[in-house]
Amino acid sequence: MERIFLFLYQYRAFFTFLALELFCAWLIIQNNQYHGAQFFNSSNTFVGGVNNFSQNMRDYFSLREVNMMLAEENARLRKSLEQRNQQIWSGKMADEEITNRFDFVSAKVVNNSTDRYTNFITINKGSKDGVAAGMAVISSYGVVGKVKMTSSHFSVVTSLLNIDLRISGLIKRTGHFGTVQWDGRDPQVVEFEFIPRHVKVAEGDTIITSGYSGVFPEGILIGTIEKIELREEAPFYELRIRVAQDFRKLSFVSVVKSNLLHELDSLELQIPDMKR
Amino acid sequence: MNRSVVIQVLVFFVYLFFQVLILKNAVMFHVAFCFLYVGYLLLMPVETNPLILMALGFVMGFAVDVFYDSLGLHALSSVFIMYVRNYWLAGLTPQGGYDANALPSVANNGVQWFSTYTLPLIFLHHTVLFYTEAGGFDYFWHTLIKVLASTGYTLLVMLIVEYVFPGRRS
């Protein structure tokens, strides 16, 4: 027994090294899972506060652009509101629950990264404002990501620029659906997979969300096809998409609360093969 | 305890906040990252106990991780180079050995020695960091570019800091 202790003591540096590295590895693995460690991330109040301060400084440099963007968005929203009103007045009253299917919570980005393989965005709305893990996040330009976890006043969002996030999308012109995923390189380009080779795609085709998972509303812009590649004997196209949202200029986003998600999920759960 | 410990703690926070508030935004060409906080760890006095070194590496790495939302990643890489550091220092002992309580700095040992000391350790740190972040060797070449660009960037900034605040760390 004594010799064991002596042995441990003699190589204490190595064993401490081993113990610390194993602990770190465990932390990394924990953090990669969907609901990771709840406290030590940027949704914690202190860290969120510091990031908030830092973002406020940065905001001054983009005020003009943000203003212009918001004005544009206002105009667009006013137009679509008018169209909606027209529809209602013209007597096509839809089901109340369907028209209120999605709620939107607007939030400000307090922390953002685009250059890593696993990018996250921190926003200044949390569980107190009704944000919960799994909700979709969009901006006025298009898809942004999915909420990973929340604290009472902040949330961490898995960015579309995260090699672990997959989103179901479809080609607006033809209606074929596939999967959007980032390849970790250019923050303005994502990949669109599983479009079979018989489909006739063209450069400039618009890719929108399919709405199949019920998380994202249908028809949110993702981007446009920039490069088409089809290898000999490959069953699917390799499509590269220029994303509509410039992630380096992200400042305001909306969190989408899907009110019928539970109903959709419990219906589809009865057919076990449908949920992938 | 004594004054130098208080100063060390203060300098720790200066490096930490400089990293997470300023250098975090100073990414060049989407591939070159500056992790100056490694400089704090590498500039600990030569004869520091390896256990203290690893503990410091862990605390610094962990603190950076909390701001980068990458729990464990920087801690893992920092502990790793802190373990290797003293063996590497022993191999680089200049003629006549180190002075008592000497810092492995440019002022004490010259820029050539300093680069041979820091460059491999920074490279090691960044290699572990970026390949762990990528989750393996799937993106081998792109990750390698990131590692090399960031190593050069970090070393450059570290040298600038050494010349602006010579001798003493800070």
Side-chain angles (χ1 to χ4, degrees), chain A residues 12-14 16-17 20-21 23-25 27-28 31 37 40-43 46-47 50-51 53-54 58 111 114-118 120 122 156 163 182-185 187 248, chain B residues 17 20-21 24-25 27 29-31 33 49-51 54-55 58 62 65-73 75-77 79-80 83 87 130 132-134 139 142-143 146:
Chain A
R12 59 192 184 281
F14 180 70
T16 323
F17 168 68
L20 280 174
E21 291 294 55
F23 180 63
C24 292
L27 280 178
I28 293 174
N31 196 40
F40 289 108
N41 59 60
S42 60
S43 70
F46 172 70
V47 180
V50 172
N51 282 331
F53 169 76
S54 162
R58 257 172 287 155
N111 188 19
T114 56
D115 297 313
R116 295 190 275 145
Y117 287 120
T118 51
F120 296 100
T122 315
V156 175
I163 52 175
W182 192 46
D183 64 351
R185 272 178 284 176
R248 280 167 294 183
Chain B
F17 282 105
V20 299
L21 287 177
K24 194 180 171 194
N25 304 315
V27 180
F29 314 118
H30 305 297
V31 287
F33 296 73
N49 185 329
L51 293 180
M54 280 190 279
F58 180 77
F62 192 84
D65 275 329
V66 170
F67 285 90
Y68 273 72
D69 275 320
S70 59
L71 210 54
L73 200 62
L76 183 102
S77 330
V79 171
F80 184 66
Y83 179 68
Y87 295 106
F130 286 118
T132 318
E133 191 197 7
Y139 307 95
H142 186 243
T143 312
K146 272 187 169 180

Side-chain angles (χ1 to χ4, degrees), chain A residues 20-36:
Chain A
L20 280 174
E21 291 294 55
L22 283 176
F23 180 63
C24 292
W26 178 78
L27 280 178
I28 293 174
I29 294 163
Q30 279 290 307
N31 196 40
N32 277 341
Q33 283 161 4
Y34 198 64
H35 295 283

Side-chain angles (χ1 to χ4, degrees), chain A residues 76-91:
Chain A
R76 210 166 42 243
L77 289 178
R78 197 165 298 147
K79 192 174 147 201
S80 70
L81 178 70
E82 193 56 36
Q83 286 171 344
R84 198 62 47 87
N85 282 343
Q86 291 295 337
Q87 267 178 18
I88 292 173
W89 287 330
S90 63

Side-chain angles (χ1 to χ4, degrees), chain B residues 100-132:
Chain B
N101 276 328
L103 300 177
S105 63
V106 172
N108 285 343
N109 303 77
V111 67
Q112 211 173 1
W113 181 91
F114 184 77
S115 307
T116 14
Y117 162 55
T118 48
L119 194 63
L121 289 176
I122 298 174
F123 177 73
L124 212 58
H125 175 271
H126 289 9
T127 309
V128 174
L129 182 77
F130 286 118
Y131 280 105
T132 318

Side-chain angles (χ1 to χ4, degrees), chain A residues 11-275:
Chain A
Y11 292 100
R12 59 192 184 281
F14 180 70
F15 285 114
T16 323
F17 168 68
L18 219 58
L20 280 174
E21 291 294 55
L22 283 176
F23 180 63
C24 292
W26 178 78
L27 280 178
I28 293 174
I29 294 163
Q30 279 290 307
N31 196 40
N32 277 341
Q33 283 161 4
Y34 198 64
H35 295 283
Q38 293 288 338
F39 183 73
F40 289 108
N41 59 60
S42 60
S43 70
N44 147 345
T45 317
F46 172 70
V47 180
V50 172
N51 282 331
N52 207 350
F53 169 76
S54 162
Q55 177 70 28
N56 279 342
M57 290 290 143
R58 257 172 287 155
D59 274 351
Y60 283 107
F61 298 102
S62 55
L63 271 182
R64 176 190 279 273
E65 234 165 306
V66 171
N67 267 343
M68 228 152 67
M69 207 183 77
L70 290 176
E72 267 171 37
E73 189 184 5
N74 263 346
R76 210 166 42 243
L77 289 178
R78 197 165 298 147
K79 192 174 147 201
S80 70
L81 178 70
E82 193 56 36
Q83 286 171 344
R84 198 62 47 87
N85 282 343
Q86 291 295 337
Q87 267 178 18
I88 292 173
W89 287 330
S90 63
K92 276 196 279 178
M93 246 340 205
D95 183 352
E96 178 101 346
E97 285 197 16
I98 294 289
T99 41
N100 295 332
R101 191 171 160 188
F102 295 105
D103 283 339
F104 297 88
V105 180
S106 140
K108 190 165 164 264
V109 172
V110 295
N111 188 19
N112 183 13
S113 68
T114 56
D115 297 313
R116 295 190 275 145
Y117 287 120
T118 51
N119 292 304
F120 296 100
I121 299 160
T122 315
I123 55 174
N124 69 347
K125 290 284 162 70
S127 51
K128 278 204 172 157
D129 310 283
V131 179
M135 284 179 179
V137 180
I138 61 176
S139 73
S140 51
Y141 284 123
V143 168
V144 170
K146 228 173 188 180
V147 177
K148 179 177 159 126
M149 51 193 153
T150 60
S151 66
S152 52
H153 294 101
F154 294 101
S155 311
V156 175
V157 178
T158 312
S159 165
L160 177 63
L161 304 184
N162 185 313
I163 52 175
D164 296 327
L165 187 73
R166 290 182 183 81
I167 289 174
S168 165
L170 53 80
I171 304 176
K172 195 175 179 186
R173 192 170 54 84
T174 65
H176 290 89
F177 70 93
T179 306
V180 177
Q181 192 180 15
W182 192 46
D183 64 351
R185 272 178 284 176
D186 190 341
Q188 299 204 302
V189 176
V190 293
E191 294 197 333
F192 190 45
E193 294 164 323
F194 307 122
I195 293 297
R197 62 185 301 147
H198 69 263
V199 181
K200 291 207 167 44
V201 294
E203 273 178 32
D205 272 357
T206 313
I207 310 295
I208 54 176
T209 54
S210 66
Y212 289 168
S213 61
V215 176
F216 281 97
E218 199 184 316
I220 301 289
L221 187 63
I222 297 175
T224 51
I225 297 182
E226 184 183 61
K227 205 172 138 207
I228 302 169
E229 240 178 272
L230 185 58
R231 295 212 185 132
E232 293 274 322
E233 292 169 19
F236 300 115
Y237 280 102
E238 282 169 35
L239 300 173
R240 297 175 63 72
I241 298 178
R242 179 149 292 262
V243 282
Q245 169 67 50
D246 187 347
F247 278 81
R248 280 167 294 183
K249 290 179 186 162
L250 209 56
S251 47
F252 286 93
V253 295
S254 314
V255 183
V256 183
K257 229 189 281 183
S258 175
N259 292 326
L260 293 183
L261 185 60
H262 271 298
E263 192 183 323
L264 185 73
D265 274 349
S266 54
L267 177 67
E268 288 186 347
L269 215 62
Q270 294 168 20
I271 307 161
D273 292 337
M274 234 178 121
K275 280 274 151 195

